[in-house]
């Protein structure tokens, strides 16, 4: 079927040849790399058309205020055309002049259409269509605005009188309805072209399907532009319309516009089916290619990141703090951590902790050129809701890391990769790609929460190394890097007492006992960490502690950091196959997370493994007899002295505990202390 054949309103169209027209279009098509956010500009164009389709009786001030609000909400005034020396506004104005101002000798619709394509030769197909639509709709919107105003605005009424517009606009309603329907169809065709331009064409081969689709696009583009000229003529004809011929003219115009709607609708249906076919085949091949790519070693991470994101745009990322658009090359030779979450990001406390541990961490300056986090928001369903759009816009303007600029354009092949290869089910993931683009950790979020920048390069093997370094339960592991003051105390090796409770009576009694010990000259820093689930009651507890003037207690915003780190420790240990019975750290962490009594305290010194845990009434009983065991502090240390009070039988000399230690080189000749009371042990050799 020749789509260009037999146009009832143009004498010249009957002799048009489809192949010749396509060849001429291709000769004029010479894109130079300039980029236009076609989707964003089309959305603004649709907003204008939405309000121009409203009845003339609707108050124009309401329409205009709503339009301004919608445009501002979606940032649709921030357009630019990188690579072009011509501002976007000027380009739209020039196109509008070509569409609406027919000069003598310019020729018929076909000739004018081809001339406009020549002036748009430097743009891609989707940009051509959107610019033409924007140029037409901008002028049409001004026209409709004047028509809506002139019955009630003196200036508009005077202008309408000079232009001799009809006094009664209601007979024109069918004409404008047909025009609006035609523009809507033009928009649908343009959306198909935008979708095609966004396909992952550089990464897969679909020679036959691509060739057929491009032919459809050429024909569709021709009729979109030609329809814009037809629409413009309907508007300019109003100024020459005689009132007595208004009805007849409207019938003819409506029939002409409706015929174009039928033609474009048929083109749109064929084009949509073809684009969908290309999309399905590309997604299938992309899935296989992604799977193979992650199993091969590359020179750098560029190919992998291109495959995942670059098809969306030449600048697929944005710096959330500066809003600058970022290209794939910015991530070259870096460890890239993909933070995959819902558009709502993480709960507030988890987000703040992740920011602190990765970007506010003391070691961040050392590694800041070595890794970057990229936020990849994934909706709950295939389509984005308004709430998800709002969440994404808010968080992507507030974070210190990078974000996908247009996550709604993510390929379904990429989404399937996240769900199948990385097991994304809606819970947050921090997938780590090394500098070569290889996946080294499918979820590093817990190790980032626990160790922050110290966990670089955030690989699964690095997580095991860190736990080997942290093989003992210490105060440094418990509270390190949550707060700069606490980190300083840990580094200095001060005696620390970390305690938690929401029972005000217990807290007051415990602090009273500790004050007595501190007043006796014992150097001891108190760190209150509240309870696992915060509530308003905790604010009152913190206020009471502040009145006691006890330094070191965590703030209401930082108390959750302590508990979130403990939860991350437990998840990390369990993921590594540890159990409470086989791993001492997991045992201690689980005990704190599951504690349900009045209160608890862990006392120790920095990185020392000499710690003691008290809970319930146990602290009061021990602290009450401080004078009896306080004299052991110089000899045993503060934790050891407390332990001597808990176990009076442990006097200087060998302890009474027993433990079987696997044989190791030099073990017999060396010395060993008891893990429980830290006192020297007697040695016996057991043969199996």
């Amino acid at each position: 079927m020749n789509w260009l054949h037999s146009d009832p309103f143009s004498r010249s169209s009957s002799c048009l040849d489809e192949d010749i027209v396509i060849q001429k279009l291709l000769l004029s098509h010479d894109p130079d790399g300039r980029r236009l956010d076609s989707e964003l500009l089309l959305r603004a164009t649709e907003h204008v058309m939405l309000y121009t389709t409203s009845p003339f009786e609707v108050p124009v001030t309401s329409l205009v205020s709503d339009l301004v609000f919608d445009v501002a909400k979606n940032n649709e005034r921030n357009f630019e055309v990188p690579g072009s020396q011509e501002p976007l506004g000027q380009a739209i104005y020039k196109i509008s002049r070509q569409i609406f101002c027919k000069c003598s000798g310019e020729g018929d619709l076909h000739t004018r259409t081809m001339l406009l394509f020549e002036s748009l030769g430097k743009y891609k197909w989707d940009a051509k269509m959107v610019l033409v639509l924007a140029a037409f709709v901008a002028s049409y919107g001004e026209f409709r605005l004047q028509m809506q105003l002139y019955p009630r605005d003196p200036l508009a009424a005077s202008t309408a009188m000079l232009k001799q517009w009809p006094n009664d606009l209601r007979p024109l309603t069918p004409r404008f309805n047909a025009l609006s329907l035609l523009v809507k169809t033009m928009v649908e065709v343009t959306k198909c072209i935008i979708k095609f331009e966004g396909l992952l064409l550089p990464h897969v081969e679909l020679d036959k399907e691509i060739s057929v689709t491009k032919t459809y696009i050429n024909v569709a583009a021709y009729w979109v532009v030609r329809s814009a000229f037809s629409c413009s003529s309907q508007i300019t004809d109003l100024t020459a319309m005689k009132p007595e011929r208004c009805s007849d003219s409207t019938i003819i115009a409506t029939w002409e516009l409706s015929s174009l709607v039928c033609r474009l609708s048929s083109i749109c249906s064929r084009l949509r089916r073809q684009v969908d076919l290309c999309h399905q085949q590309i997604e299938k091949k992309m899935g296989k290619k992604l799977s193979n790519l992650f199993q091969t070693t590359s020179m750098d991470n560029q190919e992998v990141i291109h495959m995942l994101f670059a098809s969306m745009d030449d600048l697929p990322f944005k710096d959330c703090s500066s809003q600058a658009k970022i290209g794939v090359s910015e991530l070259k030779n870096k460890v890239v951590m993909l933070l995959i979450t819902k558009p709502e990001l993480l709960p507030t406390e988890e987000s703040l902790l992740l920011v602190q541990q990765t970007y506010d961490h003391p070691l961040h300056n050392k590694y800041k050129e070595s890794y970057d986090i990229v936020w990849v928001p994934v909706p709950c369903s295939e389509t984005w809701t308004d709430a998800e759009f709002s969440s994404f816009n808010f968080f992507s303007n507030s974070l210190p890391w990078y974000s996908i600029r247009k996550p709604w354009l993510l390929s379904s092949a990429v989404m399937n990769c996240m769900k199948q290869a990385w097991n994304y089910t809606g819970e947050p993931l921090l997938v780590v790609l090394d500098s070569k683009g290889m996946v080294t950790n499918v979820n590093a979020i817990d190790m980032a929460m626990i160790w922050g920048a110290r966990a670089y390069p955030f690989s699964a093997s690095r997580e095991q190394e860190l736990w080997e370094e942290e093989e003992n339960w210490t105060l440094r592991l418990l509270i390190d890097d949550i707060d700069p003051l606490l980190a300083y105390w840990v580094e200095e090796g001060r005696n620390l007492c970390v305690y938690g409770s929401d029972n005000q009576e217990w807290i007051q009694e415990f602090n009273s006992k500790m004050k007595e010990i501190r007043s006796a000259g014992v150097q001891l820093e108190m760190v209150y960490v509240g309870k696992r689930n915060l509530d308003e009651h905790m604010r009152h507890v913190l206020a009471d502690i502040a009145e006691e003037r006890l330094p070191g207690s965590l703030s209401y915003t930082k108390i959750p950091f302590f508990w979130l780190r403990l939860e991350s420790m437990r998840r990390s240990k369990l993921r590594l196959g540890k159990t409470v019975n086989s791993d001492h750290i997991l045992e201690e962490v689980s005990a704190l997370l599951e504690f349900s009594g009045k209160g608890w305290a862990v006392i120790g010194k920095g990185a020392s493994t000499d710690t003691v845990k008290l809970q319930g009434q146990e602290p009061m009983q021990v602290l009450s007899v401080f004078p009896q065991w306080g004299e052991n502090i110089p000899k045993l240390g503060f934790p050891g002295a407390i332990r001597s009070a808990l176990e009076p039988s442990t006097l200087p000399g060998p302890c009474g505990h027993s433990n079987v230690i696997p044989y190791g080189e030099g073990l017999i000749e060396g010395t060993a202390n008891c893990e429980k009371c830290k006192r020297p042990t007697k040695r016996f050799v057991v043969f199996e």
Side-chain angles (χ1 to χ4, degrees):
M1 176 180 178
N2 190 326
W3 291 351
L4 298 176
H5 182 65
S6 186
D7 182 1
F9 354 109
S10 174
R11 295 178 181 177
S12 62
S13 67
S14 60
C15 60
L16 293 178
D17 183 271
E18 179 180 312
D19 293 333
I20 294 175
V21 172
I22 290 177
Q23 288 301 319
K24 288 183 177 180
L25 288 179
L26 293 176
L27 287 174
S28 68
H29 183 62
D30 185 26
D32 60 0
R34 63 186 66 183
R35 299 182 299 274
L36 174 67
D37 195 332
S38 300
E39 186 182 25
L40 191 62
L41 185 54
L42 182 64
R43 198 152 66 236
T45 301
E46 287 186 281
H47 273 291
V48 176
M49 285 305 301
L50 171 66
Y51 290 97
T52 58
T53 56
S54 301
F56 290 113
E57 293 78 10
V58 176
V60 70
T61 52
S62 173
L63 297 176
V64 172
S65 62
D66 289 346
L67 176 59
V68 169
F69 173 78
D70 286 341
V71 169
K73 180 179 69 174
N74 292 287
N75 295 318
E76 289 170 348
R77 304 172 82 173
N78 300 325
F79 300 118
E80 58 183 65
V81 189
S84 173
Q85 300 299 318
E86 186 178 49
L88 179 60
Q90 184 177 345
I92 291 176
Y93 173 76
K94 288 172 62 176
I95 296 168
S96 181
R97 294 284 296 176
Q98 282 186 263
I99 293 174
F100 283 90
C101 300
K102 180 180 178 181
C103 301
S104 59
E106 261 193 355
D108 56 18
L109 286 179
H110 171 69
T111 302
R112 295 173 67 193
T113 299
M114 299 307 293
L115 286 173
L116 183 52
F117 269 110
E118 289 181 9
S119 66
L120 294 172
K122 299 301 181 183
Y123 292 94
K124 296 195 303 182
W125 289 108
D126 61 327
K128 295 182 204 287
M129 299 300 95
V130 175
L131 286 170
V132 169
L133 282 170
F136 168 75
V137 168
S139 296
Y140 180 55
E142 292 178 1
F143 167 73
R144 284 297 297 266
L145 185 61
Q146 289 182 4
M147 295 194 75
Q148 288 178 349
L149 282 172
Y150 92 77
R152 59 182 65 86
D153 182 85
L155 176 59
S158 300
T159 303
M161 183 185 66
L162 292 175
K163 293 184 177 183
Q164 290 293 290
W165 285 348
N167 292 325
D168 188 2
L169 300 175
R170 285 175 295 180
L172 298 175
T173 299
R175 185 176 196 166
F176 287 119
N177 288 343
L179 190 149
S180 297
L181 183 57
L182 178 56
V183 175
K184 181 179 179 181
T185 309
M186 294 160 64
V187 168
E188 292 304 312
V189 172
T190 302
K191 287 181 178 178
C192 290
I193 297 175
I194 291 175
K195 181 177 180 179
F196 178 78
E197 294 285 1
L199 295 180
L200 306 173
L201 301 179
H203 302 296
V204 295
E205 296 180 2
L206 294 176
D207 295 337
K208 180 181 178 181
E209 291 81 1
I210 297 302
S211 177
V212 173
T213 308
K214 286 184 176 180
T215 300
Y216 284 14
I217 286 175
N218 298 149
V219 175
Y222 173 86
W223 280 105
V224 167
V225 175
R226 181 160 172 158
S227 297
F229 280 107
S230 296
C231 291
S232 69
S233 66
Q234 299 294 330
I235 298 172
T236 54
D237 286 350
L238 285 175
T239 57
M241 183 190 304
K242 294 182 179 180
E244 63 272 12
R245 297 194 60 188
C246 180
S247 179
D248 293 339
S249 176
T250 296
I251 293 173
I252 296 172
T254 302
W255 177 75
E256 291 178 349
L257 293 171
S258 298
S259 298
L260 277 173
V261 170
C262 290
R263 181 187 294 275
L264 266 181
S265 296
S266 175
I267 293 173
C268 185
S269 296
R270 299 184 184 199
L271 179 59
R272 183 180 289 114
R273 285 196 299 269
Q274 189 63 27
V275 172
D276 288 343
L277 176 62
C278 290
H279 179 261
Q280 292 169 7
Q281 294 188 14
I282 287 174
E283 293 298 304
K284 185 176 180 180
K285 292 189 176 184
M286 266 290 295
K288 293 181 179 179
K289 193 167 183 179
L290 273 173
S291 178
N292 294 333
L293 187 60
F294 283 120
Q295 297 176 10
T296 58
T297 304
S298 305
M299 293 293 295
D300 52 45
N301 59 10
Q302 296 295 279
E303 185 179 2
V304 169
I305 298 176
H306 266 288
M307 285 282 288
L308 289 172
F309 306 114
S311 61
M312 299 158 46
D313 198 310
D314 293 332
L315 300 170
F317 312 116
K318 73 174 180 178
D319 186 328
C320 297
S321 56
S322 68
Q323 297 300 293
K325 295 180 180 179
I326 303 297
V328 173
S329 60
E330 293 290 328
L331 302 176
K332 188 174 183 179
N333 297 324
K334 290 185 177 182
V335 170
V336 178
M337 295 190 287
L338 306 177
L339 178 60
I340 307 171
T341 72
K342 297 177 181 178
E344 294 83 2
L345 195 61
L346 302 167
T348 303
E349 293 83 3
E350 294 181 34
S351 300
L352 292 175
L353 177 58
L354 188 60
V355 169
Q356 173 176 294
Q357 294 293 76
T358 54
Y359 281 82
D360 296 335
H361 192 277
L363 291 177
H364 176 60
N365 287 336
K366 178 180 179 181
Y367 295 115
K368 65 180 180 181
E369 299 299 327
S370 302
Y371 73 87
D372 274 312
I373 294 178
V374 177
W375 181 35
V376 185
V378 176
C380 296
S381 61
E382 292 184 0
T383 57
W384 281 65
T385 64
D386 290 340
E388 288 173 335
F389 269 116
S390 298
S391 294
F392 169 73
N393 288 331
F394 173 77
F395 287 114
S396 65
N397 294 331
S398 313
L399 302 170
W401 45 65
Y402 292 161
S403 169
I404 303 295
R405 282 202 306 117
K406 300 178 184 178
W408 46 87
L409 297 183
L410 273 177
S411 162
S412 60
V414 174
M415 303 280 281
N416 290 334
C417 176
M418 294 176 185
K419 294 174 182 178
Q420 296 174 11
W422 302 336
N423 197 31
Y424 175 71
T425 58
E427 294 298 317
L429 292 183
L430 193 60
V431 178
V432 181
L433 307 179
D434 66 12
S435 59
K436 305 296 184 183
M438 298 293 291
V439 177
T440 58
N441 199 335
V442 293
N443 195 2
I445 197 165
D446 286 325
M447 64 187 303
M449 297 285 199
I450 300 168
W451 294 288
R454 188 153 66 98
Y456 176 84
F458 304 98
S459 60
S461 59
R462 176 60 177 155
E463 185 173 19
Q464 293 178 336
E465 291 175 5
L466 287 167
W467 277 126
E468 290 174 2
E469 295 173 8
E470 303 279 8
E471 59 183 2
N472 296 310
W473 178 244
T474 66
L475 266 293
R476 187 186 69 178
L477 175 62
L478 188 61
I479 61 174
D480 198 17
D481 297 327
I482 294 178
D483 182 88
L485 179 60
L486 303 189
Y488 174 72
W489 287 346
V490 168
E491 189 67 25
E492 277 203 330
R494 296 193 186 185
N495 288 319
L496 300 176
C497 174
V498 180
Y499 67 106
S501 173
D502 64 343
N503 186 300
Q504 287 181 295
E505 182 180 346
W506 185 93
I507 293 172
Q508 290 173 356
E509 184 179 0
F510 181 72
N511 280 331
S512 176
K513 301 292 185 183
M514 281 299 188
K515 271 187 177 181
E516 295 177 8
I517 294 176
R518 286 160 57 91
S519 63
V522 177
Q523 292 186 343
L524 177 66
E525 306 296 346
M526 305 289 290
V527 183
Y528 175 67
V529 295
K531 65 174 184 176
R532 184 177 181 182
N533 299 312
L534 289 184
D535 52 28
E536 193 60 30
H537 175 64
M538 287 298 304
R539 292 186 184 273
H540 300 299
V541 174
L542 285 169
D544 291 342
I545 292 176
E547 289 182 4
E548 297 292 326
R549 297 182 179 180
L550 293 174
S553 294
L554 294 178
S555 66
Y556 187 81
T557 57
K558 286 197 173 183
I559 283 178
F561 292 180
F562 173 84
W563 296 101
L564 287 171
R565 284 185 75 249
L566 288 185
E567 290 172 359
S568 289
M569 289 180 199
R570 178 157 69 175
R571 281 194 300 268
S572 177
K573 283 286 188 179
L574 292 174
R575 189 166 51 249
L576 294 174
K578 306 299 182 181
T579 65
V580 173
N581 294 328
S582 64
D583 190 279
H584 180 57
I585 292 178
L586 179 57
E587 178 186 11
E588 295 290 350
V589 167
S590 299
L592 293 180
L593 287 172
E594 296 167 6
F595 182 76
S596 59
K598 289 185 177 181
W600 58 267
V602 177
I603 300 170
K605 179 184 293 188
S608 171
T609 59
D610 189 7
T611 62
V612 61
K613 181 173 68 178
L614 309 172
Q615 55 189 22
Q617 285 302 119
E618 193 176 41
M620 313 309 173
Q621 297 170 358
V622 174
L623 300 179
S624 297
V625 293
F626 166 69
Q628 299 177 15
W629 55 265
E631 60 187 18
N632 293 329
I633 294 177
K635 191 168 39 177
L636 304 177
F638 188 62
I642 292 179
R643 190 178 298 104
S644 70
L646 291 171
E647 303 177 17
S649 60
T650 56
L651 300 174
C655 75
H657 301 114
S658 62
N659 189 24
V660 178
I661 303 174
Y663 174 77
E665 189 70 28
L667 185 61
I668 296 178
E669 293 78 12
T671 60
N673 293 327
C674 175
E675 290 185 358
K676 294 183 179 179
C677 67
K678 309 303 176 182
R679 310 187 71 73
T681 59
K682 288 184 178 181
R683 297 178 176 276
F684 300 92
V685 178
V686 178
F687 297 94
E688 293 184 344

